Amino acid sequence: MPDPSVAIVGAGVAGAAAAVRLAERGIAVELYEAVPEPRPIGAGLLLQPTGQRVLAAMGLLNDALALGTRVDRLFGDTPSGRTVLDMSYRRFHLEAYGLGIQRGALMELLWRRVRQLGIPWHCGRAVEGFEQDEEGVVLRLSDGEAVWHSALILANGSFSKLREGMKVAQHARPFPWGAVWTVLPAPPAFPQIELRQRFHSASQMLGLMPVGKAGAGDAEHGINLFWSLPVAALDGWHERIGLDRLKQQMTALFPDVAPLLAGLHDAAQLREARYADVWMSRWHDGRVLAIGDCAHGMSPQLGQGANMALIDAHELAAELGGGRDGWPRVFARYGRRRRAHLRFYGQASKGLTPMFQSHAIVAPWLRDRFFGWGGRLPYIHQQSIATLAGVKTGWLWGRLNL
Ligand SMILES: Cc1cc2nc3c(=O)[nH]c(=O)nc-3n(C[C@H](O)[C@H](O)[C@H](O)COP(=O)(O)OP(=O)(O)OC[C@H]3O[C@@H](n4cnc5c(N)ncnc54)[C@H](O)[C@@H]3O)c2cc1C
């Protein structure tokens, strides 16, 4: 009898990419997604050279490039004109760039590949729990049905409850800050080659990133707008702050954003983002593996979440070996392979985020004085851009080999 299929819970970047990479290696997989009709929604993502390499391995990079926009530089400053960040991908590699892409556009590409590969995809079927034994894993679905699989991959995001069913030390701490974000049509002559940020201390932050088109038939290019807010202000912000006041705050911080904000006329255009810091002592428990945000959710300050999700999928497929090894061993090997990279980015995200989103005074003061200055030193610039590019596996040395 052939092995039963592997269940993947969640059809976001991590789940869809894992389904594709495993199916490409001849593994039978089935996707379970809670949302009845997944639609390509969400704002923009910056995909790093490492994530781009995974897309290339899936044969999707050219399509992603046709939809997205090359981002060559990141520049951030304060209202008084002090440079905080000025990083150019060329300093990492002459050919390197970030790929600004709408989340919906990326998801369409991944889902199209899922369909092409004929992967069974159960939408509107939330997984509520699981039990495993030496033979396999039984999933309990929201409609009461129980289904049996040879292994289970949890890719259902930072706020996964299923993760708690793994016998692994873990915590998921909701981050005290979140954001509102949207994609707006780029006004004529609006700069489209750099990610632009403006900071006031760590309590105000506006980010603009070119993200290309929503779909192949679309002519309009979009700019992703990100506005940081404490979670306490995020709940019910439209009643308490209101769109007009929010736009005034944005323009006061960064007057150049005014032409873009002409396209923001309804509070419903802005999506709320909340994130959590997820830590697990290891990512596998027998026949169950956690990947993507479910395994290592972090704040989006380093622009790595979707990138990491793609790398997880790719590295899992690379550990399949002959495929006769048994899932617990494959998952354990995957964990060893991912450890240094994921630990580095978890620590870097934890260390950097309060400098950009918090009520702290000293950390952003130090940031404003030393980041711009440090970035002019070739070694610091190299390390910073390598961190952004998603390749570092340690503070002093170590590079990811994809
Ligand atoms: C404001 C913001 C900006 C960001 N910017 C960047 C960036 O520039 N670059 C970057 O690389 N990353 C960025 N990220 C991070 C990135 O969006 C995430 O890391 C990535 O989308 C995580 O994908 P995932 O598949 O792990 O989880 P998710 O996208 O959360 O997908 C989880 C899926 O699981 C489904 N699900 C949940 N529970 C169940 C269940 N019980 N049963 C079945 N299905 C279930 C959900 O419906 C969902 O479809 C950003 C995030 C935010 C919030």
Side-chain angles (χ1 to χ4, degrees):
M1 201 175 84
D3 275 355
S5 57
V6 173
I8 300 179
V9 182
V13 180
V20 168
R21 291 310 275 153
L22 293 187
E24 283 172 346
R25 300 291 301 265
I27 304 292
V29 289
E30 291 188 42
L31 261 176
Y32 291 86
E33 169 54 54
V35 173
E37 278 178 48
R39 279 175 302 129
I41 47 173
L45 299 169
L46 184 63
L47 285 186
Q48 307 300 342
T50 39
Q52 294 164 27
R53 220 169 295 161
V54 177
L55 287 182
M58 289 195 270
L60 298 177
L61 183 60
N62 286 340
D63 289 344
L65 283 169
L67 292 169
T69 297
R70 254 179 89 121
V71 175
D72 291 327
R73 178 183 181 222
L74 273 79
F75 184 78
D77 61 2
T78 64
S80 64
R82 199 186 278 269
T83 298
V84 178
L85 296 173
D86 186 359
M87 288 194 269
S88 158
Y89 281 99
R90 283 173 63 85
R91 300 281 290 275
F92 169 65
H93 188 282
L94 280 181
E95 315 260 292
Y97 52 87
L99 173 60
I101 189 164
Q102 303 201 22
R103 186 176 183 277
L106 176 65
M107 288 319 306
E108 271 303 338
L109 294 178
L110 290 170
W111 291 339
R112 192 179 71 201
R113 194 86 184 95
V114 165
R115 286 190 286 265
Q116 280 168 353
L117 289 163
I119 296 168
W121 186 3
H122 310 282
C123 294
R125 305 204 76 186
V127 177
E128 294 201 327
F130 65 87
E131 280 95 42
Q132 62 169 318
D133 61 24
E134 287 184 2
E135 305 294 315
V137 186
V138 176
L139 311 192
R140 272 181 284 108
L141 305 184
S142 49
D143 56 12
E145 198 187 337
V147 285
W148 190 59
H149 288 277
S150 58
L152 169 63
I153 297 174
L154 297 178
N156 63 331
S158 301
F159 297 96
S160 171
K161 289 276 166 236
L162 295 168
R163 183 183 49 228
E164 291 162 19
M166 294 174 70
K167 293 190 184 70
V168 171
Q170 55 180 280
H171 63 69
R173 299 204 173 110
F175 198 69
W177 284 67
V180 285
W181 60 330
T182 187
V183 175
L184 297 170
F190 205 81
Q192 292 209 42
I193 50 162
E194 65 180 26
L195 189 159
R196 183 74 170 87
Q197 293 179 323
R198 171 61 60 86
F199 317 101
H200 171 64
S201 192
S203 60
Q204 279 194 324
M205 171 179 167
L206 181 127
L208 301 175
M209 179 173 69
V211 287
K213 302 186 276 187
D218 210 333
E220 204 166 68
H221 282 243
I223 303 282
N224 188 71
L225 170 84
F226 174 101
W227 179 251
S228 159
L229 280 176
V231 166
L234 199 55
D235 294 326
W237 70 268
H238 24 79
E239 282 99 46
R240 286 190 290 117
I241 308 175
L243 184 61
D244 288 342
R245 227 177 97 212
L246 198 78
K247 284 168 71 170
Q248 278 163 17
Q249 289 174 0
M250 293 179 189
T251 328
L253 181 68
F254 188 45
D256 295 11
V257 76
L260 183 71
L261 292 184
L264 178 59
H265 36 78
D266 185 350
Q269 284 172 272
L270 288 170
R271 297 178 62 76
E272 293 168 19
R274 292 171 176 75
Y275 13 97
D277 190 22
V278 178
W279 173 85
M280 299 180 77
S281 61
R282 56 185 159 82
W283 300 285
H284 66 96
D285 170 24
R287 292 174 172 269
V288 183
L289 176 73
I291 61 169
D293 276 9
C294 174
H296 44 72
M298 56 184 82
S299 97
Q301 288 313 320
L302 274 172
Q304 298 293 332
N307 204 54
M308 294 284 159
L310 289 169
I311 299 170
D312 287 353
H314 186 75
E315 297 288 68
L316 175 58
E319 280 303 342
L320 287 174
R324 302 273 131 236
D325 232 359
W327 289 107
R329 280 184 172 202
V330 170
F331 290 167
R333 280 205 306 267
Y334 160 88
R336 286 195 291 276
R337 190 181 181 109
R338 294 295 288 129
R339 178 161 293 273
H341 189 235
L342 290 175
R343 289 287 181 247
F344 171 77
Y345 280 93
Q347 289 165 7
S349 168
K350 254 198 192 140
L352 280 173
T353 301
M355 295 195 180
F356 293 92
Q357 287 196 290
S358 70
H359 290 299
I361 293 172
V362 178
W365 186 89
L366 292 171
R367 174 201 72 190
D368 291 352
R369 262 118 209 113
F370 296 112
F371 271 36
W373 171 81
R376 287 195 286 277
L377 304 175
Y379 176 77
I380 304 280
H381 193 111
Q382 267 286 325
Q383 293 299 312
S384 311
I385 194 70
T387 302
L388 183 72
V391 297
K392 277 177 70 73
T393 56
W395 286 97
L396 292 178
W397 52 76
R399 289 269 167 129
L400 185 72
N401 221 340
L402 274 184

